[in-house]
């Protein structure tokens, strides 16, 4: 990890910078998810207070700081701004710093960070309206393709990742079509199938398999916690995304360790 070769003072400054940059990105993603979930135009102009319509100025938009300074209230009308605004910024800020520490200041880091942004966005939308936006998946695929020449590990490696995407997407589609027939209801959404294909593309065969297993465990815990195991629709995107993010960070060491058990 090249980042740890830097002087400690510089690492701390880089991490703080990353937290703030990531928090700004998190704020943007949170706002975008809010608008997508309400079918509003993606770029509708400046953010406003949902209560009084006051256009937010620079002072209201400093990541993390504004929410804390205004104690979670609108500066004009005093309406409560939900904590999730702050939490989205904090979460993505922390994730950004973690990505820098894990991948170093590299193209891989930038690509994975953009992918994490897509996952965060689609998870927030899915959690709200049980629908994974195609735009976020398409963006993830385009980011993967754009970074491919810069992270070139040979044609065989690239093809393996594409094959993993096709295999997981196609495999799950087949399984879900069969279970739909047997249960006579929709088991997995089309968005989940496409998301799994994208996860296969990024992670490759082994880490994507781990991600799928982790996602199922998380999904079961989520179903248990929310008691939504009945006929109701159930967002699987957040669990899939969380598992994929975990594997993005730790998938390769985990796969190496697992394969090492048999050698
Ligand atoms: Zn207001």
């Amino acid at each position: 990890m090249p980042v740890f070769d830097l002087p400690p003072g510089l690492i701390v400054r880089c991490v703080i910078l990353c937290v703030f940059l990531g928090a700004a990105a998190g704020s943007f993603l949170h706002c975008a998810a809010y608008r997508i979930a309400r079918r509003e135009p993606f770029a509708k102009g400046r953010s406003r207070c949902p209560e009084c319509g006051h256009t937010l100025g620079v002072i209201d938009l400093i990541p993390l700081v504004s929410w804390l300074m205004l104690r979670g209230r609108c500066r004009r009308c005093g309406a409560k701004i939900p904590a999730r605004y702050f939490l989205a910024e904090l979460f993505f800020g922390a994730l950004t710093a973690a990505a820098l520490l894990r991948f170093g200041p590299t193209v891989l880091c930038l690509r994975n960070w953009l992918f994490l942004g897509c996952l965060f966005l689609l998870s927030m939308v899915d959690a709200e309206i049980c629908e994974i936006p195609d735009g976020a998946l398409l963006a993830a695929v385009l980011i993967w393709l754009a970074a491919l020449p810069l992270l070139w590990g040979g044609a065989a490696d690239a093809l393996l990742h594409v094959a993993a995407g096709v295999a997981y997407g196609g495999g799950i589609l087949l399984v879900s079509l069969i279970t739909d027939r047997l249960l006579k209801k929709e088991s997995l959404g089309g968005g989940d199938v496409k998301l799994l294909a994208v996860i296969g593309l990024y992670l490759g065969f082994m880490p994507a398999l781990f991600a799928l297993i982790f996602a199922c465990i998380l999904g079961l815990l989520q179903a248990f916690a929310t008691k939504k195991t009945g006929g109701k629709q159930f967002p699987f995107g957040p669990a899939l995304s969380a598992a994929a993010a975990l594997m993005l960070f730790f998938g390769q060491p985990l796969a190496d360790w697992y394969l090492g058990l048999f050698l």
Side-chain angles (χ1 to χ4, degrees):
M1 267 176 266
V3 76
F4 289 115
D5 296 339
L6 299 170
L10 190 60
I11 297 177
V12 171
R13 263 173 275 168
C14 285
V15 166
I16 293 171
L17 184 69
C18 271
V19 168
F20 274 97
L21 281 177
S27 173
F28 166 77
L29 293 169
H30 180 266
C31 174
Y34 182 92
R35 288 177 179 177
I36 293 169
R38 280 155 193 80
R39 316 252 180 243
E40 289 173 9
F42 187 74
K44 206 183 58 173
R46 300 272 296 275
S47 297
R48 291 165 181 278
C49 165
E51 283 298 319
C52 69
H54 157 62
T55 307
L56 302 185
V58 178
I59 195 135
D60 306 300
L61 293 169
I62 307 167
L64 302 171
V65 178
S66 293
W67 194 88
L68 287 175
M69 292 236 305
L70 298 165
R71 295 198 182 85
R73 294 194 176 274
C74 168
R75 198 155 48 90
R76 167 82 74 77
C77 69
K80 220 168 161 24
I81 303 164
R84 64 189 189 123
Y85 283 76
F86 176 74
L87 293 176
E89 292 176 0
L90 186 66
F91 174 75
F92 205 68
L95 202 61
T96 302
L100 178 78
L101 292 173
R102 172 69 180 86
F103 304 109
T106 56
V107 175
L108 180 69
C109 182
L110 182 64
R111 186 203 71 171
N112 287 348
W113 180 71
L114 291 170
F115 180 46
L116 290 169
C118 294
L119 291 175
F120 188 43
L121 175 71
L122 67 86
S123 294
M124 285 188 284
V125 176
D126 196 28
E128 206 161 339
I129 60 167
C130 282
E131 202 179 296
I132 293 177
D134 280 334
L137 295 170
L138 181 66
V141 172
L142 292 177
I143 291 161
W144 188 84
L145 285 173
L148 185 61
L150 301 167
L151 299 171
W152 190 246
D157 182 63
L159 281 174
L160 263 178
H161 279 253
V162 172
V166 173
Y168 284 113
I172 289 295
L173 180 64
L174 201 67
V175 170
S176 79
L177 285 178
I178 294 169
T179 38
D180 289 0
R181 269 285 168 84
L182 294 174
L183 301 172
K184 295 197 168 53
K185 63 169 189 169
E186 197 182 356
S187 53
L188 258 182
D192 298 325
V193 172
K194 283 182 262 181
L195 174 56
L196 200 63
V198 173
I199 291 171
L201 181 69
Y202 269 83
L203 297 179
F205 276 101
M206 205 59 179
L209 180 64
F210 287 133
L212 181 59
I213 295 167
F214 273 123
C216 290
I217 296 169
L218 286 174
L220 280 175
L221 289 174
Q222 186 189 349
F224 190 69
T226 55
K227 295 197 176 65
K228 269 191 178 176
T229 38
K232 270 194 174 175
Q233 241 187 331
F234 174 82
F236 194 38
L240 271 173
S241 298
L246 205 65
M247 286 305 110
L248 201 61
F249 277 89
F250 308 112
Q252 207 50 56
L254 191 64
D256 292 344
W257 167 79
Y258 184 74
L259 290 174
L261 295 178
F262 302 99
L263 296 175

